[in-house]
Amino acid sequence: MQGQVSADAVGYILDPQRVPAELEPFKDRLSENFFEVRKRIISFIKEDILPAMPVCASQYKEEVRKVKDRKPASPHEDLSYTTHAVWAASPPIFDELRQKAKARGLYNFFLPEVGKLSVLEYAPICEILGAFGLCNVAMNCTAPDTGNMEVLEKFGTEEQKQRWLVPLLEGKIRSAYAMTEPGVASSDATNISATITRDGDEYVINGHKWYISGACRPECKVFIFLGRTGTSDEKHKQHSMILVPRDAEGVHIIRPLAVFGHIHDHAEILFENVRVPVSNMLLGEGRGFEIAQGRLGPGRIHHCMRTIGTAEQALDAILHRVHQRVAFGKLLADQATIRQTIAEARMDITKSRLLCYLAAVQADDHGFKAAKSFIAMTKVDAPRICQKIIDEAIQIHGAHGVSQDSHLTDLYHHVRHVRLADGPDIVHLNTIAKEELKRMSSVMGISVSGKNQNVEKFGKFDHLVKVSKVRARL
């Protein structure tokens, strides 16, 4: 949203008296705390976040100006990007807003013990945070820090928590998650080839990572690094996670990486004989996938929740535009094709929101592991429908929609990237299909599928190898 947008014209997403209608089937699951918290967050956005947006933009420009004299931090650094804006520090107003969030009791809200919200109740909150990213920052609810903090909280030692978790929770530092590699298909995490080798009281780390989100910002001080520690016969026990300080000797940030040609804070990093203490290992050798499942379940569903908020932004942009423009003799809002686009966008958001809420309920009742198929569904669906709506918004805005005066291209870049974050669509579709294929044949399926009786009658295919007969379930 633009900084000059009035707090009285921000759409229903900031109406404290109106929650998404899709919550109606789950109303018995909503606590009084949820409604009270939602109102507090909306008040925070209207009273503090919206007025801070122009200040944030101005301060960011000033921080960007400071990097013009930056020197390469590594002999491997690509000099083409040495003075790029991606290295700029966060605007000072971030700290001011964090203090205001703390004063309102809204800080570190992603932690269940802070917000006291179920996964379902956190979903519509995340939608708001997805639409107002500065609020997400102020409440210390941004990825990848939230996932990393959850890992440290669940699996870290007291020493690890004091050194890294406490300053992360206080917003004094940021972090990154170093998993993806350019030389292997990282969507299958068993392919990760970076090594973590024990050498006395230290581990020696070697690897080449890329698209490590958040690694370029100067506030980033630590990586959670996924690498191979063993050769166990069980392929999911060959990898481990370890804490690597960003300033450790041998850590070389080569360059920031682009999304659709635009440079973002996603880094390509070389780890050359990086030494860290044995005490930096998380949980133990060979337990990387165990940690990953605990990290990715909540992270994936939070992505989807925020993405639905972004879809609402795009639809609001459509509604604003169609009431302002005339084409072929009448307002765009009166054109049948435009109305069809608006209707389909609302249907898509409604279906996607319900699917996301269903996944949240499954996670609440059965845990994230048991809910993996539902989470996979919403992880595919929410970014897909959001991207479609943003694309329609760009079409309706015409040239303006792809110009620097519109934020629609920023939304498009982000959401297209979300379709890759935490695994591309095809990986999640495979998860859904595997659950379905466990069901095998059923009486109903056999009946509807039908059978050509003449195949057995004439026997012309008897020489072929037959699929084993499966007992049909009812």
Side-chain angles (χ1 to χ4, degrees):
M1 304 285 284
Q2 294 279 5
Q4 63 268 30
V5 174
S6 165
D8 297 321
V10 288
Y12 96 86
I13 200 168
L14 288 190
D15 184 344
Q17 305 304 322
R18 181 182 173 191
V19 297
E22 295 87 343
L23 277 174
E24 188 69 21
F26 309 104
K27 60 183 178 182
D28 293 340
R29 289 175 168 267
L30 302 177
S31 64
E32 287 299 318
N33 178 56
F34 161 72
F35 293 100
E36 190 269 333
V37 160
R38 185 174 179 274
K39 289 178 181 178
R40 282 163 49 203
I41 292 173
I42 289 172
S43 294
F44 179 44
I45 292 173
K46 289 181 176 180
E47 295 167 15
D48 292 318
I49 297 298
L50 289 175
M53 284 181 171
V55 178
C56 182
S58 176
Q59 289 184 352
Y60 173 70
K61 290 178 181 177
E62 181 58 34
E63 294 300 326
V64 169
R65 279 194 284 269
K66 293 178 183 178
V67 302
K68 65 181 176 61
D69 298 321
R70 179 181 175 273
K71 305 299 181 186
S74 162
H76 299 299
E77 183 176 315
D78 187 332
L79 301 182
S80 305
Y81 305 100
T82 296
T83 58
H84 194 279
V86 75
W87 306 104
S90 298
I93 199 170
F94 278 16
D95 288 334
E96 180 184 331
L97 291 172
R98 287 190 181 106
Q99 294 307 314
K100 290 182 176 181
K102 288 178 183 178
R104 291 175 180 261
L106 298 175
Y107 198 66
N108 288 325
F109 225 71
F110 68 96
L111 293 171
E113 56 267 32
V114 175
K116 296 179 173 56
L117 298 171
S118 66
V119 180
L120 172 65
E121 290 174 327
Y122 191 50
I125 300 299
C126 263
E127 292 174 31
I128 298 174
L129 301 184
F132 297 90
L134 187 55
C135 185
N136 207 29
V137 171
M139 291 171 58
N140 207 31
C141 292
T142 54
D145 297 310
T146 49
N148 291 341
M149 287 188 275
E150 286 168 343
V151 165
L152 286 165
E153 175 63 32
K154 292 178 183 177
F155 306 112
T157 65
E158 282 307 310
E159 178 188 352
Q160 292 167 351
K161 289 178 181 179
Q162 285 302 313
R163 182 173 181 188
W164 302 115
L165 178 60
V166 171
L168 279 168
L169 288 170
E170 292 175 352
K172 293 180 178 178
I173 66 171
R174 301 292 301 273
S175 63
Y177 181 58
M179 172 185 161
T180 306
E181 298 178 356
V184 298
S186 302
S187 56
D188 177 359
T190 62
N191 286 332
I192 296 300
S193 64
T195 58
I196 306 171
T197 306
R198 179 78 179 255
D199 183 19
D201 294 333
E202 296 179 315
Y203 282 105
V204 182
I205 296 165
N206 282 282
H208 184 176
K209 304 286 186 177
W210 78 335
Y211 281 95
I212 309 307
S213 300
C216 294
R217 60 174 70 110
E219 295 84 5
C220 179
K221 302 300 181 186
V222 65
F223 304 126
I224 293 182
F225 181 97
L226 179 68
R228 188 180 296 273
T229 48
T231 56
S232 169
D233 290 338
E234 296 184 54
K235 66 178 182 178
H236 290 102
K237 292 186 177 180
Q238 297 175 2
H239 292 78
S240 306
M241 288 193 191
I242 195 165
L243 295 163
V244 180
R246 183 176 183 259
D247 62 0
E249 186 177 353
V251 175
H252 303 284
I253 298 183
I254 302 171
R255 57 175 177 160
L257 295 165
V259 177
F260 286 99
H262 296 273
I263 299 298
H264 286 260
D265 188 6
H266 307 297
E268 184 170 7
I269 309 174
L270 194 64
F271 295 82
E272 285 193 315
N273 296 316
V274 180
R275 289 182 172 269
V276 299
V278 168
S279 59
N280 281 25
M281 180 63 68
L282 283 163
L283 197 58
E285 289 190 18
R287 303 185 73 177
F289 282 90
E290 182 181 343
I291 298 171
Q293 290 309 307
R295 183 186 190 280
L296 291 175
R300 284 171 178 159
I301 200 168
H302 294 168
H303 270 315
C304 300
M305 296 167 180
R306 288 189 291 266
T307 298
I308 291 169
T310 303
E312 288 284 5
Q313 280 185 300
L315 180 52
D316 271 13
I318 290 174
L319 297 175
H320 169 72
R321 187 72 170 184
V322 300
H323 286 302
Q324 308 299 318
R325 290 294 171 120
V326 174
F328 304 104
K330 54 185 176 181
L331 275 175
L332 291 182
D334 295 328
Q335 300 282 0
T337 53
I338 298 295
R339 291 187 171 196
Q340 179 180 340
T341 296
I342 292 169
E344 289 183 352
R346 175 50 65 201
M347 289 190 295
D348 283 340
I349 291 174
T350 298
K351 289 184 288 186
S352 190
R353 184 179 273 130
L354 281 168
L355 180 56
C356 188
Y357 290 173
L358 175 60
V361 167
Q362 292 294 314
D364 278 331
D365 289 354
H366 307 291
F368 284 99
K369 185 175 182 180
K372 64 181 180 181
S373 183
F374 293 95
I375 293 173
M377 291 180 206
T378 189
K379 179 60 178 68
V380 172
D381 181 73
R384 183 185 280 177
I385 68 100
C386 184
Q387 184 184 339
K388 174 187 172 187
I389 294 168
I390 296 168
D391 189 65
E392 293 288 4
I394 291 171
Q395 290 282 62
I396 288 171
H397 281 72
H400 179 81
V402 294
S403 75
Q404 64 268 43
D405 296 326
S406 172
H407 290 294
L408 287 170
T409 54
D410 295 332
L411 297 185
Y412 190 93
H413 294 158
H414 171 69
V415 171
R416 187 61 187 86
H417 148 262
V418 170
R419 291 184 63 191
L420 295 172
D422 293 338
D425 290 357
I426 192 63
V427 171
H428 303 297
L429 291 169
N430 190 49
T431 297
I432 300 164
K434 283 196 293 187
E435 289 300 306
E436 291 298 310
L437 290 168
K438 288 177 181 178
R439 298 193 292 139
M440 305 300 286
S441 296
S442 70
V443 170
M444 180 171 65
I446 292 170
S447 174
V448 173
S449 179
K451 183 178 182 180
N452 183 346
Q453 301 292 341
N454 290 326
V455 171
E456 291 185 4
K457 178 178 179 180
F458 296 108
K460 296 300 183 181
F461 302 97
D462 290 349
H463 61 288
L464 300 178
V465 177
K466 291 183 172 56
V467 177
S468 299
K469 289 188 177 180
V470 179
R471 183 179 178 182
R473 57 184 171 79
L474 296 175

